[in-house]
Amino acid sequence: MDPAVIQGGSFGQIWRYTTPPPANGQAEQFYAKPLVYTPSSTGKQIVLSFSEQNKIYALDAVNGTLCASRDLSLEGEPPFLVSDLGSCNDISGTIGITGTPVIDPTTDTVYFWAKSYNGAATGYQNGAYRFHGVDAATLKERPGFPVNIQGRPGTFESFRLVKFS
């Protein structure tokens, strides 16, 4: 960033977006870095944001208006409960989308991992990661995604890819 811009008096917050109140009463947390991107399908710059509650937001970068959102919990992918880990809690509440996603600009596809459970059972032994590929503008899943990544807890064996439906 040009120091002249920062010191020139025009640098500052231009908008703020407040996420909807959570159903579980727990404030939404964001560890993944937001991404600023211009999808070729819209030509409109957006800010993509991903939460520990497995929620995704696409906001207009100019004014903060919500362009698209998606709650993976409503699609059967609730975030993993930190309490299922026992005493290892460097993140509080839930673990969902923690790592910063990446974008393939040739296809406008955003790739990310979301932590959840295999089926309805909770507990650390039922934890699962799903690899998602979503359209940057609409946040809709690309064909063939998500992909469920499984292994045996406590082992370093290679994982297998299983289609999650």
PDB file of all heavy atoms in Angstrom, residues 88-117:
ATOM      1  N   CYS A  88      -8.138 -30.239  23.605  1.00  0.00           N
ATOM      2  CA  CYS A  88      -7.361 -29.556  22.564  1.00  0.00           C
ATOM      3  C   CYS A  88      -8.231 -28.498  21.906  1.00  0.00           C
ATOM      4  O   CYS A  88      -8.940 -28.777  20.951  1.00  0.00           O
ATOM      5  CB  CYS A  88      -6.879 -30.578  21.530  1.00  0.00           C
ATOM      6  SG  CYS A  88      -5.901 -29.839  20.231  1.00  0.00           S
ATOM      7  N   ASN A  89      -8.225 -27.269  22.450  1.00  0.00           N
ATOM      8  CA  ASN A  89      -9.107 -26.241  21.912  1.00  0.00           C
ATOM      9  C   ASN A  89      -8.346 -24.952  21.601  1.00  0.00           C
ATOM     10  O   ASN A  89      -8.316 -24.058  22.411  1.00  0.00           O
ATOM     11  CB  ASN A  89     -10.213 -25.837  22.884  1.00  0.00           C
ATOM     12  CG  ASN A  89     -10.758 -26.935  23.721  1.00  0.00           C
ATOM     13  OD1 ASN A  89     -10.407 -28.076  23.576  1.00  0.00           O
ATOM     14  ND2 ASN A  89     -11.634 -26.591  24.626  1.00  0.00           N
ATOM     15  N   ASP A  90      -7.764 -24.849  20.436  1.00  0.00           N
ATOM     16  CA  ASP A  90      -7.172 -23.571  20.055  1.00  0.00           C
ATOM     17  C   ASP A  90      -8.167 -22.718  19.279  1.00  0.00           C
ATOM     18  O   ASP A  90      -7.916 -21.562  18.996  1.00  0.00           O
ATOM     19  CB  ASP A  90      -5.870 -23.751  19.279  1.00  0.00           C
ATOM     20  CG  ASP A  90      -6.027 -24.572  18.014  1.00  0.00           C
ATOM     21  OD1 ASP A  90      -7.058 -25.245  17.875  1.00  0.00           O
ATOM     22  OD2 ASP A  90      -5.114 -24.540  17.177  1.00  0.00           O
ATOM     23  N   ILE A  91      -9.318 -23.290  18.933  1.00  0.00           N
ATOM     24  CA  ILE A  91     -10.440 -22.575  18.338  1.00  0.00           C
ATOM     25  C   ILE A  91     -11.634 -22.834  19.246  1.00  0.00           C
ATOM     26  O   ILE A  91     -11.822 -23.944  19.719  1.00  0.00           O
ATOM     27  CB  ILE A  91     -10.736 -23.095  16.907  1.00  0.00           C
ATOM     28  CG1 ILE A  91      -9.560 -22.785  15.984  1.00  0.00           C
ATOM     29  CG2 ILE A  91     -12.013 -22.495  16.360  1.00  0.00           C
ATOM     30  CD1 ILE A  91      -9.712 -23.357  14.587  1.00  0.00           C
ATOM     31  N   SER A  92     -12.440 -21.813  19.492  1.00  0.00           N
ATOM     32  CA  SER A  92     -13.574 -22.023  20.398  1.00  0.00           C
ATOM     33  C   SER A  92     -14.865 -22.280  19.628  1.00  0.00           C
ATOM     34  O   SER A  92     -15.043 -21.798  18.521  1.00  0.00           O
ATOM     35  CB  SER A  92     -13.750 -20.805  21.316  1.00  0.00           C
ATOM     36  OG  SER A  92     -14.038 -19.665  20.546  1.00  0.00           O
ATOM     37  N   GLY A  93     -15.750 -23.056  20.235  1.00  0.00           N
ATOM     38  CA  GLY A  93     -17.082 -23.300  19.679  1.00  0.00           C
ATOM     39  C   GLY A  93     -17.142 -24.362  18.607  1.00  0.00           C
ATOM     40  O   GLY A  93     -17.438 -25.511  18.887  1.00  0.00           O
ATOM     41  N   THR A  94     -16.887 -23.968  17.370  1.00  0.00           N
ATOM     42  CA  THR A  94     -16.997 -24.897  16.252  1.00  0.00           C
ATOM     43  C   THR A  94     -15.799 -24.752  15.307  1.00  0.00           C
ATOM     44  O   THR A  94     -15.121 -23.732  15.294  1.00  0.00           O
ATOM     45  CB  THR A  94     -18.281 -24.654  15.436  1.00  0.00           C
ATOM     46  OG1 THR A  94     -18.283 -23.318  14.942  1.00  0.00           O
ATOM     47  CG2 THR A  94     -19.524 -24.906  16.264  1.00  0.00           C
ATOM     48  N   ILE A  95     -15.595 -25.812  14.522  1.00  0.00           N
ATOM     49  CA  ILE A  95     -14.576 -25.807  13.475  1.00  0.00           C
ATOM     50  C   ILE A  95     -15.309 -26.089  12.169  1.00  0.00           C
ATOM     51  O   ILE A  95     -15.940 -27.124  12.019  1.00  0.00           O
ATOM     52  CB  ILE A  95     -13.499 -26.884  13.715  1.00  0.00           C
ATOM     53  CG1 ILE A  95     -12.839 -26.675  15.076  1.00  0.00           C
ATOM     54  CG2 ILE A  95     -12.468 -26.858  12.588  1.00  0.00           C
ATOM     55  CD1 ILE A  95     -11.928 -27.819  15.492  1.00  0.00           C
ATOM     56  N   GLY A  96     -15.226 -25.150  11.266  1.00  0.00           N
ATOM     57  CA  GLY A  96     -15.900 -25.297   9.977  1.00  0.00           C
ATOM     58  C   GLY A  96     -14.927 -25.040   8.850  1.00  0.00           C
ATOM     59  O   GLY A  96     -14.095 -25.869   8.531  1.00  0.00           O
ATOM     60  N   ILE A  97     -14.994 -23.840   8.290  1.00  0.00           N
ATOM     61  CA  ILE A  97     -14.067 -23.439   7.226  1.00  0.00           C
ATOM     62  C   ILE A  97     -12.988 -22.593   7.888  1.00  0.00           C
ATOM     63  O   ILE A  97     -13.216 -21.427   8.203  1.00  0.00           O
ATOM     64  CB  ILE A  97     -14.793 -22.665   6.111  1.00  0.00           C
ATOM     65  CG1 ILE A  97     -15.953 -23.498   5.561  1.00  0.00           C
ATOM     66  CG2 ILE A  97     -13.804 -22.300   5.005  1.00  0.00           C
ATOM     67  CD1 ILE A  97     -16.918 -22.722   4.682  1.00  0.00           C
ATOM     68  N   THR A  98     -11.845 -23.208   8.125  1.00  0.00           N
ATOM     69  CA  THR A  98     -10.764 -22.538   8.858  1.00  0.00           C
ATOM     70  C   THR A  98      -9.690 -21.996   7.923  1.00  0.00           C
ATOM     71  O   THR A  98      -9.224 -20.878   8.080  1.00  0.00           O
ATOM     72  CB  THR A  98     -10.130 -23.509   9.871  1.00  0.00           C
ATOM     73  OG1 THR A  98     -11.155 -23.995  10.743  1.00  0.00           O
ATOM     74  CG2 THR A  98      -9.052 -22.831  10.698  1.00  0.00           C
ATOM     75  N   GLY A  99      -9.282 -22.799   6.947  1.00  0.00           N
ATOM     76  CA  GLY A  99      -8.218 -22.388   6.033  1.00  0.00           C
ATOM     77  C   GLY A  99      -8.729 -21.427   4.971  1.00  0.00           C
ATOM     78  O   GLY A  99      -9.886 -21.468   4.570  1.00  0.00           O
ATOM     79  N   THR A 100      -7.842 -20.554   4.532  1.00  0.00           N
ATOM     80  CA  THR A 100      -8.194 -19.601   3.487  1.00  0.00           C
ATOM     81  C   THR A 100      -8.370 -20.332   2.157  1.00  0.00           C
ATOM     82  O   THR A 100      -7.477 -21.049   1.721  1.00  0.00           O
ATOM     83  CB  THR A 100      -7.106 -18.523   3.362  1.00  0.00           C
ATOM     84  OG1 THR A 100      -7.003 -17.850   4.627  1.00  0.00           O
ATOM     85  CG2 THR A 100      -7.448 -17.515   2.280  1.00  0.00           C
ATOM     86  N   PRO A 101      -9.529 -20.174   1.513  1.00  0.00           N
ATOM     87  CA  PRO A 101      -9.780 -20.822   0.224  1.00  0.00           C
ATOM     88  C   PRO A 101      -8.862 -20.287  -0.878  1.00  0.00           C
ATOM     89  O   PRO A 101      -8.188 -19.265  -0.701  1.00  0.00           O
ATOM     90  CB  PRO A 101     -11.232 -20.460  -0.073  1.00  0.00           C
ATOM     91  CG  PRO A 101     -11.820 -20.192   1.273  1.00  0.00           C
ATOM     92  CD  PRO A 101     -10.720 -19.516   2.040  1.00  0.00           C
ATOM     93  N   VAL A 102      -8.868 -20.973  -2.005  1.00  0.00           N
ATOM     94  CA  VAL A 102      -8.136 -20.523  -3.191  1.00  0.00           C
ATOM     95  C   VAL A 102      -9.118 -20.425  -4.353  1.00  0.00           C
ATOM     96  O   VAL A 102     -10.147 -21.105  -4.369  1.00  0.00           O
ATOM     97  CB  VAL A 102      -6.959 -21.461  -3.558  1.00  0.00           C
ATOM     98  CG1 VAL A 102      -5.916 -21.466  -2.457  1.00  0.00           C
ATOM     99  CG2 VAL A 102      -7.442 -22.859  -3.839  1.00  0.00           C
ATOM    100  N   ILE A 103      -8.776 -19.579  -5.322  1.00  0.00           N
ATOM    101  CA  ILE A 103      -9.645 -19.367  -6.481  1.00  0.00           C
ATOM    102  C   ILE A 103      -8.892 -19.736  -7.745  1.00  0.00           C
ATOM    103  O   ILE A 103      -7.747 -19.333  -7.939  1.00  0.00           O
ATOM    104  CB  ILE A 103     -10.095 -17.892  -6.560  1.00  0.00           C
ATOM    105  CG1 ILE A 103     -10.882 -17.500  -5.315  1.00  0.00           C
ATOM    106  CG2 ILE A 103     -10.941 -17.660  -7.822  1.00  0.00           C
ATOM    107  CD1 ILE A 103     -11.224 -16.020  -5.239  1.00  0.00           C
ATOM    108  N   ASP A 104      -9.576 -20.490  -8.604  1.00  0.00           N
ATOM    109  CA  ASP A 104      -9.060 -20.767  -9.938  1.00  0.00           C
ATOM    110  C   ASP A 104      -9.689 -19.724 -10.859  1.00  0.00           C
ATOM    111  O   ASP A 104     -10.877 -19.810 -11.178  1.00  0.00           O
ATOM    112  CB  ASP A 104      -9.437 -22.175 -10.385  1.00  0.00           C
ATOM    113  CG  ASP A 104      -8.999 -22.501 -11.797  1.00  0.00           C
ATOM    114  OD1 ASP A 104      -8.442 -21.605 -12.487  1.00  0.00           O
ATOM    115  OD2 ASP A 104      -9.220 -23.637 -12.240  1.00  0.00           O
ATOM    116  N   PRO A 105      -8.915 -18.717 -11.295  1.00  0.00           N
ATOM    117  CA  PRO A 105      -9.503 -17.648 -12.109  1.00  0.00           C
ATOM    118  C   PRO A 105      -9.912 -18.084 -13.519  1.00  0.00           C
ATOM    119  O   PRO A 105     -10.690 -17.390 -14.164  1.00  0.00           O
ATOM    120  CB  PRO A 105      -8.391 -16.591 -12.160  1.00  0.00           C
ATOM    121  CG  PRO A 105      -7.133 -17.343 -11.924  1.00  0.00           C
ATOM    122  CD  PRO A 105      -7.498 -18.498 -11.030  1.00  0.00           C
ATOM    123  N   THR A 106      -9.417 -19.225 -13.984  1.00  0.00           N
ATOM    124  CA  THR A 106      -9.819 -19.685 -15.322  1.00  0.00           C
ATOM    125  C   THR A 106     -11.241 -20.231 -15.331  1.00  0.00           C
ATOM    126  O   THR A 106     -11.884 -20.265 -16.380  1.00  0.00           O
ATOM    127  CB  THR A 106      -8.857 -20.760 -15.873  1.00  0.00           C
ATOM    128  OG1 THR A 106      -8.875 -21.893 -15.010  1.00  0.00           O
ATOM    129  CG2 THR A 106      -7.436 -20.217 -15.984  1.00  0.00           C
ATOM    130  N   THR A 107     -11.742 -20.660 -14.152  1.00  0.00           N
ATOM    131  CA  THR A 107     -13.100 -21.213 -14.065  1.00  0.00           C
ATOM    132  C   THR A 107     -13.975 -20.470 -13.057  1.00  0.00           C
ATOM    133  O   THR A 107     -15.128 -20.838 -12.860  1.00  0.00           O
ATOM    134  CB  THR A 107     -13.060 -22.705 -13.662  1.00  0.00           C
ATOM    135  OG1 THR A 107     -12.453 -22.819 -12.364  1.00  0.00           O
ATOM    136  CG2 THR A 107     -12.286 -23.532 -14.684  1.00  0.00           C
ATOM    137  N   ASP A 108     -13.427 -19.442 -12.378  1.00  0.00           N
ATOM    138  CA  ASP A 108     -14.150 -18.728 -11.310  1.00  0.00           C
ATOM    139  C   ASP A 108     -14.623 -19.692 -10.224  1.00  0.00           C
ATOM    140  O   ASP A 108     -15.706 -19.544  -9.671  1.00  0.00           O
ATOM    141  CB  ASP A 108     -15.355 -17.945 -11.856  1.00  0.00           C
ATOM    142  CG  ASP A 108     -14.954 -16.703 -12.628  1.00  0.00           C
ATOM    143  OD1 ASP A 108     -13.819 -16.211 -12.442  1.00  0.00           O
ATOM    144  OD2 ASP A 108     -15.781 -16.214 -13.420  1.00  0.00           O
ATOM    145  N   THR A 109     -13.793 -20.692  -9.926  1.00  0.00           N
ATOM    146  CA  THR A 109     -14.139 -21.685  -8.905  1.00  0.00           C
ATOM    147  C   THR A 109     -13.333 -21.429  -7.634  1.00  0.00           C
ATOM    148  O   THR A 109     -12.118 -21.237  -7.692  1.00  0.00           O
ATOM    149  CB  THR A 109     -13.867 -23.116  -9.408  1.00  0.00           C
ATOM    150  OG1 THR A 109     -14.641 -23.338 -10.593  1.00  0.00           O
ATOM    151  CG2 THR A 109     -14.249 -24.157  -8.364  1.00  0.00           C
ATOM    152  N   VAL A 110     -14.034 -21.428  -6.503  1.00  0.00           N
ATOM    153  CA  VAL A 110     -13.407 -21.263  -5.192  1.00  0.00           C
ATOM    154  C   VAL A 110     -13.320 -22.654  -4.562  1.00  0.00           C
ATOM    155  O   VAL A 110     -14.324 -23.365  -4.473  1.00  0.00           O
ATOM    156  CB  VAL A 110     -14.243 -20.342  -4.275  1.00  0.00           C
ATOM    157  CG1 VAL A 110     -13.555 -20.161  -2.929  1.00  0.00           C
ATOM    158  CG2 VAL A 110     -14.506 -19.003  -4.943  1.00  0.00           C
ATOM    159  N   TYR A 111     -12.115 -23.043  -4.124  1.00  0.00           N
ATOM    160  CA  TYR A 111     -11.897 -24.342  -3.492  1.00  0.00           C
ATOM    161  C   TYR A 111     -11.586 -24.145  -2.018  1.00  0.00           C
ATOM    162  O   TYR A 111     -10.800 -23.264  -1.655  1.00  0.00           O
ATOM    163  CB  TYR A 111     -10.725 -25.071  -4.159  1.00  0.00           C
ATOM    164  CG  TYR A 111     -10.980 -25.432  -5.601  1.00  0.00           C
ATOM    165  CD1 TYR A 111     -10.460 -24.661  -6.634  1.00  0.00           C
ATOM    166  CD2 TYR A 111     -11.758 -26.538  -5.936  1.00  0.00           C
ATOM    167  CE1 TYR A 111     -10.687 -24.992  -7.963  1.00  0.00           C
ATOM    168  CE2 TYR A 111     -11.998 -26.879  -7.260  1.00  0.00           C
ATOM    169  CZ  TYR A 111     -11.454 -26.091  -8.267  1.00  0.00           C
ATOM    170  OH  TYR A 111     -11.695 -26.419  -9.581  1.00  0.00           O
ATOM    171  N   PHE A 112     -12.216 -24.977  -1.166  1.00  0.00           N
ATOM    172  CA  PHE A 112     -11.964 -24.895   0.272  1.00  0.00           C
ATOM    173  C   PHE A 112     -12.341 -26.201   0.959  1.00  0.00           C
ATOM    174  O   PHE A 112     -13.055 -27.030   0.406  1.00  0.00           O
ATOM    175  CB  PHE A 112     -12.735 -23.729   0.901  1.00  0.00           C
ATOM    176  CG  PHE A 112     -14.236 -23.844   0.784  1.00  0.00           C
ATOM    177  CD1 PHE A 112     -14.993 -24.448   1.772  1.00  0.00           C
ATOM    178  CD2 PHE A 112     -14.896 -23.338  -0.326  1.00  0.00           C
ATOM    179  CE1 PHE A 112     -16.376 -24.562   1.656  1.00  0.00           C
ATOM    180  CE2 PHE A 112     -16.267 -23.438  -0.462  1.00  0.00           C
ATOM    181  CZ  PHE A 112     -17.005 -24.046   0.538  1.00  0.00           C
ATOM    182  N   TRP A 113     -11.844 -26.361   2.188  1.00  0.00           N
ATOM    183  CA  TRP A 113     -12.164 -27.503   3.048  1.00  0.00           C
ATOM    184  C   TRP A 113     -13.137 -27.048   4.125  1.00  0.00           C
ATOM    185  O   TRP A 113     -12.994 -25.955   4.668  1.00  0.00           O
ATOM    186  CB  TRP A 113     -10.910 -28.018   3.759  1.00  0.00           C
ATOM    187  CG  TRP A 113      -9.840 -28.491   2.853  1.00  0.00           C
ATOM    188  CD1 TRP A 113      -8.791 -27.764   2.370  1.00  0.00           C
ATOM    189  CD2 TRP A 113      -9.701 -29.796   2.309  1.00  0.00           C
ATOM    190  NE1 TRP A 113      -8.012 -28.545   1.566  1.00  0.00           N
ATOM    191  CE2 TRP A 113      -8.552 -29.798   1.509  1.00  0.00           C
ATOM    192  CE3 TRP A 113     -10.454 -30.972   2.413  1.00  0.00           C
ATOM    193  CZ2 TRP A 113      -8.114 -30.921   0.823  1.00  0.00           C
ATOM    194  CZ3 TRP A 113     -10.008 -32.080   1.728  1.00  0.00           C
ATOM    195  CH2 TRP A 113      -8.865 -32.059   0.947  1.00  0.00           C
ATOM    196  N   ALA A 114     -14.117 -27.885   4.448  1.00  0.00           N
ATOM    197  CA  ALA A 114     -15.044 -27.617   5.546  1.00  0.00           C
ATOM    198  C   ALA A 114     -15.061 -28.841   6.452  1.00  0.00           C
ATOM    199  O   ALA A 114     -15.165 -29.976   5.975  1.00  0.00           O
ATOM    200  CB  ALA A 114     -16.446 -27.331   5.021  1.00  0.00           C
ATOM    201  N   LYS A 115     -14.946 -28.617   7.748  1.00  0.00           N
ATOM    202  CA  LYS A 115     -14.987 -29.728   8.696  1.00  0.00           C
ATOM    203  C   LYS A 115     -16.409 -29.909   9.204  1.00  0.00           C
ATOM    204  O   LYS A 115     -17.100 -28.943   9.520  1.00  0.00           O
ATOM    205  CB  LYS A 115     -14.038 -29.497   9.870  1.00  0.00           C
ATOM    206  CG  LYS A 115     -13.933 -30.736  10.758  1.00  0.00           C
ATOM    207  CD  LYS A 115     -12.747 -30.687  11.684  1.00  0.00           C
ATOM    208  CE  LYS A 115     -12.648 -32.035  12.417  1.00  0.00           C
ATOM    209  NZ  LYS A 115     -11.476 -32.120  13.244  1.00  0.00           N
ATOM    210  N   SER A 116     -16.830 -31.164   9.304  1.00  0.00           N
ATOM    211  CA  SER A 116     -18.178 -31.508   9.744  1.00  0.00           C
ATOM    212  C   SER A 116     -18.145 -32.926  10.297  1.00  0.00           C
ATOM    213  O   SER A 116     -17.150 -33.324  10.902  1.00  0.00           O
ATOM    214  CB  SER A 116     -19.157 -31.384   8.575  1.00  0.00           C
ATOM    215  OG  SER A 116     -20.477 -31.590   9.004  1.00  0.00           O
ATOM    216  N   TYR A 117     -19.198 -33.672  10.050  1.00  0.00           N
ATOM    217  CA  TYR A 117     -19.314 -35.051  10.526  1.00  0.00           C
ATOM    218  C   TYR A 117     -19.709 -35.977   9.375  1.00  0.00           C
ATOM    219  O   TYR A 117     -20.329 -35.556   8.412  1.00  0.00           O
ATOM    220  CB  TYR A 117     -20.378 -35.165  11.627  1.00  0.00           C
ATOM    221  CG  TYR A 117     -20.014 -34.412  12.872  1.00  0.00           C
ATOM    222  CD1 TYR A 117     -20.503 -33.130  13.105  1.00  0.00           C
ATOM    223  CD2 TYR A 117     -19.165 -34.965  13.819  1.00  0.00           C
ATOM    224  CE1 TYR A 117     -20.165 -32.430  14.242  1.00  0.00           C
ATOM    225  CE2 TYR A 117     -18.816 -34.270  14.960  1.00  0.00           C
ATOM    226  CZ  TYR A 117     -19.327 -33.005  15.169  1.00  0.00           C
ATOM    227  OH  TYR A 117     -18.975 -32.314  16.300  1.00  0.00           O
TER     228      TYR A 117
END
